């Protein structure tokens, strides 16, 4: 073996260690720049091998929602569709139309029986989903919570939660609208389904913020029900018997819209009162523009569809090595100053059939 051949073999063996390679290059007088170019070529070749990106896989995921027809979830479904298109997956949107927990549990059991590749579920009850989640875990099916989650310390074996920190979002929102209420004023707080874990924590946050404010503000809680058709009539009935109310504040999308509707009909905000709540119903955005709602809180419904698909896909693809992670989908306030950015055609807020570009 001549000296030149031996030197090249030494370089090849040293390539396993970048530091060793550069040390050997100095010994042989090759120069760091020359060797760096060679290593860069190797790296470029490796990069070319992975240029196709992540593979598309025909996984099927089930989404179990508590109010499957609620327009809040339109952008959520768009997010699911876009993620499935990106990763080659498919989905089924199922659950209950009117927050019937037993129907949701049944939908989870059906998904498990069908050997779903992953289940995303709105955990609106603190214990009702524990057994089904355990069953899914034993079958090797990842379960991700979205939009609503079990309390801290729950034995539920869901792998992650994708959504807003609900208690804190209620508390922070109340701090914002309390500034609009006179000291010692009176407000109405509405909730569609008392105890439901997608809205009860917000209501609890509202109430705690009122107590912490030492403002003397008093409140009534109105159960508006899960049916949007009845929410307006219940809010209106309350208003007509409490016309001195200083503000009305929803904890969900449809009851916030109902508060805005009554404000628009009777001039609550324009008369010096306040109305605020959650979510981006197009009607609520219109009431912000018209001055009948002060603000609403955005919780990024699109991400509540996209991220669970992404997490379950990566979990399946990696054989469980890439575990789902809790994801806070943010808290942004929509006011008259920025509402125009939300009212146009946008798939990310549920008002366009076009794919994102």
């Amino acid at each position: 073996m001549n000296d030149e051949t031996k030197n090249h073999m030494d370089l090849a063996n040293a390539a396993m260690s970048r530091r060793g390679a550069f040390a050997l290059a100095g010994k042989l007088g090759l120069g760091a720049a020359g060797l760096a170019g060679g290593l860069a070529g190797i790296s470029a070749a490796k990069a070319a091998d992975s240029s196709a990106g992540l593979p598309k896989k025909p996984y099927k995921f089930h989404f179990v929602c508590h109010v499957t027809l609620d327009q809040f979830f339109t952008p959520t479904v768009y997010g699911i569709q876009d993620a499935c298109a990106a990763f080659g997956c498919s989905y089924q949107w199922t659950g209950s139309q009117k927050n019937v927990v037993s129907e949701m549990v049944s939908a989870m059991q059906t998904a498990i029986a069908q050997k779903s590749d992953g289940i995303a579920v709105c955990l609106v009850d603190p214990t009702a989903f524990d057994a089904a989640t355990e069953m899914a875990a034993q079958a090797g099916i990842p379960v991700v919570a979205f939009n609503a989650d079990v309390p801290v310390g729950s034995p539920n074996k869901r792998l992650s939660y994708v959504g807003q920190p609900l208690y804190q979002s209620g508390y922070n929102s109340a701090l914002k609208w309390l500034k609009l209420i006179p000291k010692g004023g009176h407000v109405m707080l509405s909730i569609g389904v008392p105890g439901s874990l997608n809205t009860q924590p917000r209501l609890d946050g509202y109430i705690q913020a009122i107590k912490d404010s030492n403002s003397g503000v008093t409140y009534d809680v109105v159960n508006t029900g899960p049916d949007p058709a009845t929410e307006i009539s219940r809010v209106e009935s309350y208003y007509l018997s409490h016309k001195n109310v200083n503000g009305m504040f929803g904890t969900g999308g449809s009851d916030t819209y109902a508060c805005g509707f009554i404000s628009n009909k009777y001039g609550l905000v324009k008369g010096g009162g306040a109305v605020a709540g959650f979510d981006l119903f197009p009607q609520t955005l219109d009431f912000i523009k018209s001055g009948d709602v002060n603000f609403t809180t955005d919780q990024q419904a699109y991400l509540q569809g996209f991220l669970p698909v992404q997490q379950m896909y990566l979990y399946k693809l990696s054989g469980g090595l890439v575990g789902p992670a809790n994801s806070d989908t943010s808290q942004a306030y929509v006011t008259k100053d920025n509402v125009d950015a939300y009212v146009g055609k946008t798939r990310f807020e549920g008002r366009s059939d076009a794919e994102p570009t």
Side-chain angles (χ1 to χ4, degrees):
M1 181 184 296
N2 60 38
D3 289 343
E4 183 178 358
T5 301
K6 183 178 184 301
N7 289 343
H8 280 97
M9 290 181 65
D10 288 341
L11 269 177
N13 292 331
M16 293 296 293
S17 166
R18 186 176 178 86
R19 179 180 296 177
F22 278 105
L24 184 58
K27 178 180 177 181
L28 299 176
L30 296 179
L35 183 57
L39 292 177
I42 295 172
S43 298
K46 290 181 177 179
D49 291 340
S50 61
S51 62
L54 292 169
K56 293 194 174 185
K57 294 289 186 178
Y59 302 138
K60 183 172 182 179
F61 302 125
H62 287 75
F63 278 73
V64 180
C65 179
H66 56 297
V67 279
T68 54
L69 301 182
D70 194 314
Q71 63 180 304
F72 166 83
F73 288 105
T74 300
T76 302
V77 172
Y78 285 159
I80 296 168
Q81 292 173 352
D82 294 341
C84 283
F87 303 128
C89 307
S90 62
Y91 75 98
Q92 182 175 342
W93 181 254
T94 184
S96 175
Q97 292 185 15
K98 295 185 178 180
N99 212 336
V100 180
V101 171
S102 60
E103 294 177 356
M104 298 176 67
V105 173
S106 177
M108 281 191 72
Q109 293 169 340
T110 298
I112 295 167
Q114 293 177 355
K115 303 185 186 304
S116 176
D117 290 301
I119 300 171
V121 56
C122 300
L123 294 178
V124 294
D125 186 278
T127 60
F129 300 95
D130 291 354
T133 305
E134 169 71 23
M135 188 185 306
Q138 291 181 358
I141 300 171
V143 176
V144 172
F146 74 104
N147 188 255
D149 193 22
V150 289
V152 175
S154 167
N156 188 284
K157 291 188 176 180
R158 63 88 172 135
L159 297 180
S160 69
Y161 167 59
V162 177
Q164 197 175 68
L166 298 171
Y167 175 87
Q168 194 62 47
S169 68
Y171 190 94
N172 292 346
S173 176
L175 292 181
K176 187 174 178 67
W177 54 250
L178 277 166
K179 297 176 183 178
L180 307 175
I181 305 300
K183 192 174 182 65
H186 185 73
V187 301
M188 184 209 78
L189 313 177
S190 63
I191 182 169
V193 181
S196 182
L197 293 183
N198 64 313
T199 50
Q200 184 67 47
R202 291 175 180 159
L203 179 63
D204 295 341
Y206 275 179
I207 293 171
Q208 190 60 50
I210 292 173
K211 293 177 179 177
D212 291 347
S213 70
N214 295 316
S215 60
V217 169
T218 57
Y219 64 89
D220 289 320
V221 175
V222 173
N223 175 3
T224 57
D227 187 352
T230 66
E231 289 183 297
I232 289 177
S233 63
R234 293 186 182 185
V235 173
E236 184 169 29
S237 293
Y238 178 88
Y239 177 80
L240 291 177
S241 60
H242 299 79
K243 287 190 175 180
N244 63 337
V245 70
N246 300 109
M248 299 192 302
F249 306 103
T251 54
S254 54
D255 62 318
T256 297
Y257 159 63
C259 292
F261 183 92
I262 298 308
S263 174
N264 174 266
K265 185 174 181 178
Y266 295 102
L268 176 57
V269 171
K270 291 174 181 174
V275 171
F278 282 83
D279 302 335
L280 305 182
F281 278 30
Q283 303 95 319
T284 298
L285 299 179
D286 289 341
F287 288 141
I288 291 175
K289 285 181 68 71
S290 65
D292 296 300
V293 171
N294 297 92
F295 68 89
T296 191
T297 306
D298 178 18
Q299 58 172 314
Q300 296 285 290
Y302 180 93
L303 289 179
Q304 292 181 21
F306 191 97
L307 293 180
V309 172
Q310 181 187 57
Q311 291 189 7
M312 293 185 291
Y313 163 83
L314 289 173
Y315 182 89
K316 292 289 292 184
L317 185 68
S318 69
L321 294 177
V322 179
N326 291 340
S327 301
D328 181 349
T329 56
S330 90
Q331 178 175 302
Y333 299 112
V334 182
T335 68
K336 201 165 187 177
D337 292 335
N338 65 357
V339 68
D340 285 340
Y342 289 84
V343 297
K345 290 291 185 181
T346 164
R347 186 172 180 83
F348 301 106
E349 298 299 347
R351 290 183 299 282
S352 170
D353 290 331
E355 291 290 332
T357 56

